[in-house]
Amino acid sequence: MSTERLTITVSDLTVHVVRKQIENLHIAVYPPDGLIRVSAPEHMDEDAVRMAVVDRLKWIRDQRDELLAQPRQSVREMVTGESHYVWGKRHRLRVVSGGKTSGVEIAGRGILLLTVPTAADRDERAMILEEWRRRELKVAVPALVNKWEEQLDVAQVEWRVRRMRTKWGTCNPEARRIWLNLQLAQKPRPCLEYVILHEMLHLVEPGHTERFERLLTAAMPDWRRRRSELARLPLSDDGEWPPHDVPGRVSQ
């Protein structure tokens, strides 16, 4: 699918426009800073896009105001007492230095125990926690992929995990491969399943079409609730918020 990108200013707002081979215009407002993105049909000229944004200005401002009013988690320093999220639940970090081996475990109710070498700095501690999250995902993902392979009647789906700044997941239909954001290990498990289903469904319907939404609703009737949960603050532990490729807030 070919795309064309440009940036326009409407009133005092910066709007990012992506022209695609789609039928209808979509407007999304992304957390955490209220980035505005318009997906527009290729045939729609800039004036028409501007008018569409103007028509929705009140809705856009309302969404931005709501997002900017929400509290945010500061960048994690990887020290004892900080809050960290595991599968949607908040845990207090307890750092133990000088251990014979590095590792992470849930120790007691609400305690995330991080064992690190004596001289480990903030980045080394973060890497140990990140690798633990990667292993958590690699345990959780296979059963969900197998489930949706059967229900969607698709086979031999390859999946991988990586850190992504702008998406919760992506799909390469030609390679039959999906990528999952490492930070999904911080979100509730139903959110992980939603992202897996969403990306695997692109093997059946590549675009975000009306058919795609019908298939998604038929397979997972509560997908909108899961998507909202995925977008809920606080932000991820490194202070970034990676929006999924389906806007969390859309006007059509």
Side-chain angles (χ1 to χ4, degrees):
M1 178 180 292
S2 63
T3 59
E4 177 188 354
R5 301 174 185 272
L6 69 149
T7 301
I8 62 176
T9 301
V10 179
S11 186
D12 59 338
L13 302 175
T14 298
V15 179
H16 301 271
V17 181
V18 182
R19 287 199 177 92
K20 301 180 178 180
Q21 296 174 8
I22 56 177
E23 294 182 3
N24 300 312
L25 178 140
H26 302 262
I27 300 178
V29 182
Y30 286 108
D33 297 321
L35 180 144
I36 304 164
R37 189 178 77 175
V38 174
S39 298
E42 291 179 321
H43 62 78
M44 183 173 289
D45 62 27
E46 184 175 325
D47 287 342
V49 172
R50 287 179 180 277
M51 289 304 301
V53 173
V54 169
D55 287 344
R56 296 162 174 81
L57 269 180
K58 183 180 184 305
W59 177 87
I60 292 170
R61 292 189 188 280
D62 287 346
Q63 302 307 305
R64 281 173 53 86
D65 290 346
E66 179 181 340
L67 291 172
L68 295 174
Q70 291 176 306
R72 306 187 183 188
Q73 189 176 51
S74 61
V75 175
R76 304 293 82 187
E77 297 296 334
M78 305 305 300
V79 295
T80 293
E82 283 184 335
S83 294
H84 289 258
Y85 285 79
V86 179
W87 298 122
K89 296 181 179 179
R90 188 173 70 172
H91 292 71
R92 290 291 181 183
L93 187 67
R94 180 182 297 166
V95 180
V96 176
S97 298
K100 293 182 179 180
T101 59
S102 301
V104 181
E105 61 177 304
I106 305 296
R109 188 172 182 178
I111 299 298
L112 186 64
L113 184 64
L114 172 63
T115 304
V116 300
T118 301
D121 61 15
R122 185 265 175 207
D123 291 344
E124 290 172 309
R125 295 178 181 190
M127 183 62 67
I128 293 169
L129 180 56
E130 180 174 298
E131 289 306 309
W132 179 78
R133 285 180 173 143
R134 189 182 302 274
R135 292 193 294 273
E136 286 285 295
L137 279 175
K138 289 185 175 181
V139 170
V141 169
L144 295 172
V145 170
N146 292 340
K147 170 185 174 179
W148 290 107
E149 279 183 333
E150 180 177 349
Q151 295 199 30
L152 298 177
D153 194 23
V154 298
Q156 297 181 329
V157 178
E158 180 184 357
W159 61 270
R160 298 181 185 178
V161 174
R162 69 182 180 190
R163 174 176 286 276
M164 291 184 276
R165 291 181 61 87
T166 60
K167 295 182 179 180
W168 288 116
T170 63
C171 176
N172 183 330
E174 291 76 20
R176 303 187 67 76
R177 179 186 304 122
I178 66 171
W179 287 92
L180 302 170
N181 194 312
L182 175 62
Q183 296 185 45
L184 284 166
Q186 299 177 53
K187 297 295 181 177
R189 292 177 187 269
C191 296
L192 170 64
E193 184 174 19
Y194 158 67
V195 175
I196 288 173
L197 170 59
H198 179 106
E199 300 308 336
M200 290 181 64
L201 196 54
H202 281 309
L203 300 172
V204 179
E205 177 63 37
H208 293 132
T209 62
E210 292 182 1
R211 177 173 181 260
F212 179 91
E213 186 167 321
R214 289 197 303 271
L215 291 172
L216 182 58
T217 300
M220 184 179 284
D222 67 340
W223 68 268
R224 290 181 178 84
R225 179 188 61 78
R226 299 188 192 212
R227 185 183 65 182
S228 296
E229 183 77 7
L230 189 60
R232 193 179 66 182
L233 297 178
L235 304 182
S236 56
D237 291 345
D238 58 6
E240 297 175 359
W241 195 96
H244 186 44
D245 60 349
V246 174
R249 306 172 183 275
V250 182
S251 175
Q252 297 186 347

